[in-house]
């Protein structure tokens, strides 16, 4: 194999080579991100707890349930505990600073989520004051917040009637060890919200958004779902009870057919880059028609000549693929901080990186086959005449 000739050909048009490598880099980077997002959506559902159920209005997730439902749900055989969850929807300074906030029952919330640990502060610190809150590690990093900081929020769903901001004090920071739970959320005491409403200081809907229901060990989820739904089938408001996996799937469904869309985009990117690399290699093969004729006249076989073209294509695509997976892995943490609240399972794993690099290698081999076959069919005399 004439490696010196291979290197000369590879760097004979440096700008074209750089642009082709750059195209493959961008394609592999995008493919890794798209694959990671698709897998993240699946992981968010797959790692959902089997010991937690969610009780919501049968009409809509946005319709509140009566607060008194908590005691009856908790009395259902097989139910260990019930946690009130209320979406708060506050705004920090500007709507672009969106992050999730929930009013919950602090002690019950912590017991119901063994996947969560407080890395700063404690439950005792949180429960010292109604205005205290717990925030995720990534949320703290995003805004530079630390324990003891005050976070003012503008109430949108629950506006303060005097026009002032809600005030929250960061008492603890949590970390999640599950891909189904993000680290971009604020949790505060449900009683802070309820008491403010009872005092007439706050507007907004009364009641509870959803009830998280923690099951006792050994309980049958299907039986409990049927019991709770039957209890309220005639009102005052009917409920729908789902497993946590199904509850997570609802949010994914709200986004539409995301996996299909991502697959379509990824396929389009791969298709376009394949023809870009193929065109580059065909141009290179045509430019080397005379060289191919000389090599054949000197006794080089079709296998070696075709092999050079395939290896050249493989080197271009592999280089672009390697840079692409490196950039994708480097972007993992910044991207996680942005999309983890919607896709907590997002992760650019070694499997994703291997798949991205494998696609680049396969692309290089396929794009090199066509010029290799063209070179194989060239006769030495015809090649010298065409290259003259």
């Amino acid at each position: 194999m004439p490696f010196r000739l291979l290197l000369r050909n590879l760097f004979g048009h440096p700008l074209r080579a750089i642009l082709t490598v750059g195209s493959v880099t961008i394609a592999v980077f995008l493919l890794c991100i798209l694959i990671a997002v698709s897998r993240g959506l699946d992981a968010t559902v797959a790692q959902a707890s089997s010991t937690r159920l969610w009780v919501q209005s049968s009409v809509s997730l946005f319709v509140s349930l009566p607060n008194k439902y908590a005691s009856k749900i908790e009395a259902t055989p097989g139910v260990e505990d019930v946690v009130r969850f209320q979406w708060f929807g506050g705004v920090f300074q500007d709507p672009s600073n969106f992050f999730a906030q929930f009013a919950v029952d602090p002690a019950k919330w912590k017991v119901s989520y063994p996947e969560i640990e407080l890395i700063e502060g404690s439950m005792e610190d949180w429960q010292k004051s109604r205005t205290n809150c717990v925030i995720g590690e990534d949320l703290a990093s995003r805004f530079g917040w630390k324990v003891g900081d005050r976070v003012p929020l503008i109430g949108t769903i629950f506006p303060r009637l005097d026009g002032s901001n809600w005030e929250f004090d960061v008492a603890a920071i949590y970390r999640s060890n599950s891909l189904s739970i993000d680290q971009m959320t604020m949790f505060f005491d449900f009683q802070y919200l309820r008491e403010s409403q009872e005092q007439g200081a706050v507007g907004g809907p009364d009641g509870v958004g959803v009830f998280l229901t923690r099951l006792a060990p050994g309980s049958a989820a299907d039986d409990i779902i049927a019991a709770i739904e039957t209890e309220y089938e005639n009102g005052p408001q009917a409920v729908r009870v789902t497993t946590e996996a199904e509850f997570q799937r609802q949010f994914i469904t709200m986004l539409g057919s995301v996996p299909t869309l991502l697959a379509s985009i990824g396929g389009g990117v791969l298709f376009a880059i394949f023809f870009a690399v193929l065109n580059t290699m065909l141009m290179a093969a045509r430019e080397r028609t005379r060289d191919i004729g000389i090599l054949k006249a000197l006794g080089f076989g079709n296998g070696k000549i075709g092999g050079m073209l395939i290896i050249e294509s493989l080197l271009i695509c592999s280089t672009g693929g390697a840079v692409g997976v490196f950039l994708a892995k480097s972007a993992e943490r910044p991207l996680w901080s942005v999309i983890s609240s919607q896709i907590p399972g997002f992760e650019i794993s070694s499997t994703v990186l291997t798949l991205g690099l494998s696609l680049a290698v396969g692309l290089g081999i396929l794009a090199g086959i066509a010029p290799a076959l063209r070179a194989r069919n060239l006769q030495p005399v015809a090649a010298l005449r065409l290259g003259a």
Side-chain angles (χ1 to χ4, degrees), residues 4-13 288 291 308 312:
R4 290 180 62 184
L5 179 60
L6 175 64
L7 292 176
R8 192 204 73 177
N9 291 339
L10 189 62
F11 297 106
H13 293 275
R288 295 170 199 155
D291 292 345
M308 279 196 302
E312 181 180 345

Side-chain angles (χ1 to χ4, degrees), residues 83-319:
V83 186
R84 294 172 294 183
F85 264 72
Q86 178 61 59
W87 173 261
F88 185 66
V91 173
F92 175 64
Q93 297 179 341
D94 185 89
S96 63
N97 293 328
F98 169 81
F99 63 91
Q101 313 111 29
F102 287 97
V104 298
D105 299 302
K108 293 181 177 182
W109 171 83
K110 182 62 179 70
V111 174
S112 298
Y113 283 96
E115 306 96 324
I116 286 176
E117 63 172 325
L118 300 181
I119 57 174
E120 293 184 40
S122 65
M123 284 301 301
E124 291 74 18
D125 294 332
W126 184 8
Q127 294 178 286
K128 284 179 181 177
S129 171
R130 289 277 195 254
T131 62
N132 284 349
C133 67
V134 173
I135 62 175
E137 184 178 23
D138 291 316
L139 182 59
S141 176
R142 177 184 175 185
F143 292 108
W145 292 336
K146 57 185 182 299
V147 171
D149 284 353
R150 174 155 291 188
V151 179
L153 294 180
I154 303 168
T156 54
I157 301 174
F158 302 96
R160 299 192 73 87
L161 299 183
D162 62 1
S164 63
N165 290 336
W166 287 81
E167 301 286 346
F168 297 94
D169 298 304
V170 179
I173 297 174
Y174 75 85
R175 176 183 294 160
S176 166
N177 59 25
S178 170
L179 293 178
S180 67
I181 303 171
D182 70 87
Q183 299 177 159
M184 285 288 290
T185 302
M186 169 192 284
F187 297 94
F188 65 93
D189 196 334
F190 184 87
Q191 285 301 119
Y192 181 29
L193 174 60
R194 184 167 177 79
E195 290 173 359
S196 298
Q197 287 182 305
E198 290 174 345
Q199 293 165 5
V202 172
D206 192 17
V208 180
V210 292
F211 293 99
L212 181 149
T213 304
R214 182 164 59 90
L215 305 184
S219 299
D222 290 342
D223 293 341
I224 296 172
I225 290 173
I228 297 174
E229 289 185 342
T230 301
E231 174 71 25
Y232 295 105
E233 64 182 352
N234 295 319
Q237 189 171 156
V239 301
R240 180 187 178 198
V241 186
T242 60
T243 61
E244 186 165 271
E246 180 58 30
F247 192 71
Q248 297 276 22
R249 191 176 288 110
Q250 286 184 50
F251 289 97
I252 295 173
T253 304
M254 288 170 64
L255 299 174
S257 186
V258 176
T260 302
L261 176 62
L262 295 178
S264 300
I265 295 172
V269 169
L270 196 62
F271 191 75
I273 295 303
F274 168 72
F275 281 103
V277 177
L278 177 61
N279 182 61
T280 298
M281 291 309 302
L282 288 172
M283 288 175 59
R286 283 195 297 270
E287 291 170 355
R288 295 170 199 155
T289 299
R290 185 172 181 277
D291 292 345
I292 291 171
I294 293 173
L295 289 173
K296 286 193 171 187
L298 292 174
F300 284 89
N302 289 325
K304 286 188 176 182
I305 295 172
M308 279 196 302
L309 291 168
I310 292 175
I311 291 174
E312 181 180 345
S313 175
L314 185 59
L315 285 174
I316 289 173
C317 290
S318 297
T319 302

Side-chain angles (χ1 to χ4, degrees), residues 10-60:
L10 189 62
F11 297 106
H13 293 275
L15 180 59
R16 186 167 67 193
I18 290 171
L19 290 175
T20 306
V21 168
S23 298
V24 176
T25 296
I26 294 171
V28 171
F29 172 81
L30 290 175
L31 286 170
C32 286
I33 300 302
L34 293 173
I35 293 169
V37 168
S38 182
R39 285 172 172 259
L41 291 171
D42 293 337
T44 299
V45 174
Q47 293 199 19
S49 174
S50 60
T51 64
R52 293 190 291 262
L53 302 178
W54 291 83
V55 182
Q56 66 181 76
S57 168
S58 62
V59 177
S60 169

Side-chain angles (χ1 to χ4, degrees), residues 65-81:
L65 294 171
N67 186 62
K68 63 182 180 181
Y69 275 25
S71 57
K72 282 192 175 182
I73 295 172
E74 195 166 4
T76 305
V79 172
E80 187 90 353
D81 223 338

